[in-house]
């Protein structure tokens, strides 16, 4: 039986059963039918991160973004309201704005010159009355709005589904952790510079799964940071702390210091800021934040984040924390476009902001050491997942991948003060299993899109 996205539901039920047993068929990464179904059943339904409010602070500020294959023009209008439009002219569909960011009062299409204001209204047509007369109702030809746009802690999300649940419902318990990263300061966060973009030849799930639930890879993939003395030699160093499975496929790792050793409180943020954190966070959030060294996770489906302490020098250089959000935009089954935002507390001293930015650039910027390590590995996973054997759905030999870590072995830590199911180690595949189970549930969900247009 096929679901309305054209996928065999009994096959998907079989996949779900395997995921629950810690096994993922390798073809799930790169299968083209799965990819098409993901676009329809996941990305066209869910909340997609578009940008941060600090990127469009003033009326007329705009940025251009994507929801998978839909170009989005995100801006602040004359009234200070955030608007998101399909970045496609209402006349013949030309991509209206090609710049990444800027400030404008109007947008004029390069094809025939139709002009739209910040409210999306069609306000100018070349030779308008001569060619269309006065009878054409211009209000019918406004820019098309992205159906839903909502923000949380300055993070703007859009959904193509007008029936999408409220953003805060979708984020669920992730909000508690977003508050620690994004809501700890009175004035919130700001994006410094413009977000950077680059391409990786991999599948979006491979990177989301890595950030969401794979601190285990750090000791090997990022061994160069150990050799430089930036990361500890202990191969378990990224395991200390908690891996927390959240609802809706989200997950987060709160990594503490080596074996519980003392780390600088609040990720080394300046002491002057601590009273502010106490004002904005609950006692439980404050305690968790105080003892955390690395925060890394994934907001389903493809918004990942990392807030580690990192350095630009050798063992004697101080480590500085930063906050980095990134979207893994699916371009094809084996290609993603990464957009990466560096964020810092607006009220942090300028010297900290600068050190924090350098720490980000050296580690997770486009040429950062850790970024290079990850991109190379993720490319290899995709490269080795496209052949006949990896794509074999008959499964007459073992073509499933191993997501067994901690399955039926590690019990939740009931004393964890935050929401979610928290396990007392970050070397665990619990988030990945929950991510893929949610993923397959979304693929199984019925869609109201008629089968004949798929
Ligand atoms: S396509 Fe934009 S004005 Fe014609
Ligand atoms: Fe990594």
């Amino acid at each position: 039986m096929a679901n309305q996205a054209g996928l065999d539901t009994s096959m998907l039920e079989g996949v779900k059963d395997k995921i629950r047993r810690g096994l993922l068929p390798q073809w799930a990464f790169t299968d083209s039918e799965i990819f098409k179904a993901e676009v329809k059943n996941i990305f066209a339904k869910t909340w997609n991160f578009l940008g941060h409010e600090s990127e469009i602070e003033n009326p007329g500020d705009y940025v251009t973004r994507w929801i998978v294959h839909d170009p989005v023009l995100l801006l602040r209008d004359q009234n200070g309201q955030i608007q998101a439009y399909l970045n496609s002219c209402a006349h013949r569909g030309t991509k209206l704005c090609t710049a990444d960011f800027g400030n404008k009062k109007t947008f004029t299409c390069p094809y025939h010159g139709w002009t739209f204001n910040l409210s999306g209204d069609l306000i100018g047509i070349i030779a308008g009355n001569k060619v269309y007369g006065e009878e054409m109702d211009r209000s019918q030809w406004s820019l098309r709005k992205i159906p839903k746009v909502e923000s949380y802690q300055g993070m703007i999300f859009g959904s193509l589904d007008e029936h999408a649940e409220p953003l805060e419902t979708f984020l669920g318990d992730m909000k508690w952790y977003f508050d620690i990263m994004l809501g700890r300061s009175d004035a919130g966060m700001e994006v410094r510079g413009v977000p950077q973009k680059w391409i990786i030849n991999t599948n979006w799930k491979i990177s989301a799964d890595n950030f969401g639930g794979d601190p285990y890879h750090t000791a090997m993939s990022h061994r160069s940071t150990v050799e430089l003395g930036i990361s500890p030699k202990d191969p378990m160093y990224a395991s200390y702390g908690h891996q927390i499975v959240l609802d809706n496929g989200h997950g987060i790792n709160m990594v503490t210091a080596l074996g519980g050793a003392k780390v600088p409180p609040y990720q080394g943020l300046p002491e002057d800021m601590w009273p502010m954190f106490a004002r904005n966070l609950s006692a439980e959030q404050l305690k968790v934040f105080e003892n955390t060294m690395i925060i890394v996770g994934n907001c389903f489906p493809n918004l990942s984040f990392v807030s580690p302490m990192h350095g630009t020098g050798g063992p004697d250089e101080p480590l500085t924390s930063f906050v980095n959000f990134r979207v893994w935009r699916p371009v094809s089954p084996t290609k993603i476009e990464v957009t990466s935002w560096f964020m810092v507390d607006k009220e942090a001293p300028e010297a900290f902001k600068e050190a924090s930015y350098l720490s980000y650039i050296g580690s997770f910027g486009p040429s950062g050491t850790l970024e290079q390590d990850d991109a190379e590995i993720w490319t290899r996973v995709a490269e080795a997942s496209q052949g006949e054997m990896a794509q074999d759905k008959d499964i007459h030999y073992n073509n499933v991948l191993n997501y067994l870590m901690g399955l039926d072995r590690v019990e939740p830590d009931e004393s964890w003060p935050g929401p979610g199911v928290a396990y007392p180690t970050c070397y665990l595949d619990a988030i990945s299993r929950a991510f893929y189970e949610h993923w397959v549930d979304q693929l199984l969900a019925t869609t109201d899109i008629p089968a004949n247009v798929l």
Side-chain angles (χ1 to χ4, degrees), residues 210 217 222 374:
N210 173 280
H217 79 286
H222 303 305
D374 285 333

Side-chain angles (χ1 to χ4, degrees), residues 85-392:
Y85 306 104
L86 185 67
N87 186 11
S88 173
C89 179
H91 180 219
R92 292 283 162 79
T94 307
K95 191 175 174 191
L96 184 61
C97 178
T98 52
D100 284 342
F101 64 96
N103 182 284
K104 274 176 172 285
K105 288 191 172 61
T106 57
F107 294 87
T108 297
C109 178
Y111 200 171
H112 311 90
W114 284 23
T115 296
F116 303 87
N117 66 14
L118 299 177
S119 303
D121 306 324
L122 173 61
I123 56 165
I125 305 179
I126 291 179
N129 284 349
K130 290 202 181 78
V131 289
Y132 294 109
E134 282 175 16
E135 61 276 17
M136 189 181 81
D137 180 0
R138 282 142 173 82
S139 70
Q140 296 296 308
W141 301 99
S142 301
L143 292 179
R144 289 156 284 180
K145 287 193 174 191
I146 301 301
K148 291 197 91 173
V149 180
E150 292 178 19
S151 296
Y152 184 76
Q153 294 289 19
M155 305 282 281
I156 309 164
F157 291 74
S159 177
L160 301 180
D161 181 1
E162 61 180 328
H163 304 298
E165 62 190 338
L167 174 64
E168 293 205 21
T169 308
F170 163 76
L171 292 174
D173 289 336
M174 182 60 96
K175 286 189 298 174
W176 196 89
Y177 299 93
F178 271 13
D179 290 349
I180 293 176
M181 279 188 290
L182 305 167
R184 62 200 182 203
S185 292
D186 294 345
M189 306 297 277
E190 65 183 16
V191 172
R192 296 265 287 187
V194 290
Q196 293 144 330
K197 295 196 281 190
W198 60 94
I199 297 285
I200 304 177
N201 291 322
T202 193
N203 180 266
W204 68 273
K205 297 188 292 300
I206 294 167
S207 42
D209 169 7
N210 173 280
F211 267 60
D214 193 1
Y216 177 54
H217 79 286
T218 49
M220 184 65 195
S221 292
H222 303 305
R223 203 177 52 209
S224 60
T225 62
V226 176
E227 287 163 3
L228 285 169
I230 294 170
S231 301
K233 286 198 172 67
D234 176 5
M236 296 296 287
Y237 83 86
S239 74
Y240 305 115
H242 285 80
Q243 177 168 109
I244 304 130
V245 176
L246 301 170
D247 38 15
N248 294 337
H250 313 316
I252 190 164
N253 301 269
M254 304 296 276
V255 183
T256 55
L258 184 63
K262 203 77 190 130
V263 289
Y266 309 112
Q267 295 188 307
L269 280 149
E271 203 167 336
D272 289 354
M273 298 173 72
W274 299 357
M276 188 164 63
F277 302 156
R279 270 201 301 280
N280 292 304
L281 301 177
S282 70
E284 291 79 13
Q285 286 169 317
L286 200 63
K287 188 168 167 19
V288 166
F289 184 33
E290 182 180 1
N291 297 314
T292 295
M293 191 168 73
I294 305 168
I295 304 172
V296 60
N298 186 63
C299 182
F300 189 89
N302 64 335
L303 172 64
S304 287
F305 50 84
V306 59
S307 177
M309 295 186 67
H310 209 268
T312 51
D316 302 326
E317 293 293 316
L319 304 181
T320 311
S321 66
F322 60 84
V323 175
N324 173 220
F325 274 78
R326 59 239 331 264
V327 165
W328 319 110
R329 175 191 160 219
V331 176
S332 78
T334 54
K335 188 187 277 196
I336 58 171
E337 181 189 58
V338 185
T339 305
S340 174
W341 289 260
F342 167 81
M343 295 184 197
V344 67
D345 304 68
K346 263 187 195 157
E347 283 139 309
E350 190 56 35
F352 179 85
K353 290 181 179 180
E354 191 58 29
S356 180
Y357 187 70
L358 291 176
S359 174
Y360 156 70
I361 286 293
S363 54
F364 281 98
S367 59
T369 49
L370 284 90
E371 187 61 38
Q372 295 294 311
D373 300 335
D374 285 333
E376 168 66 21
I377 291 294
W378 301 340
T379 302
R380 289 197 203 182
V381 177
E383 190 181 11
S385 300
Q386 296 173 56
E388 290 303 309
M389 289 183 70
Q391 291 287 316
D392 185 356

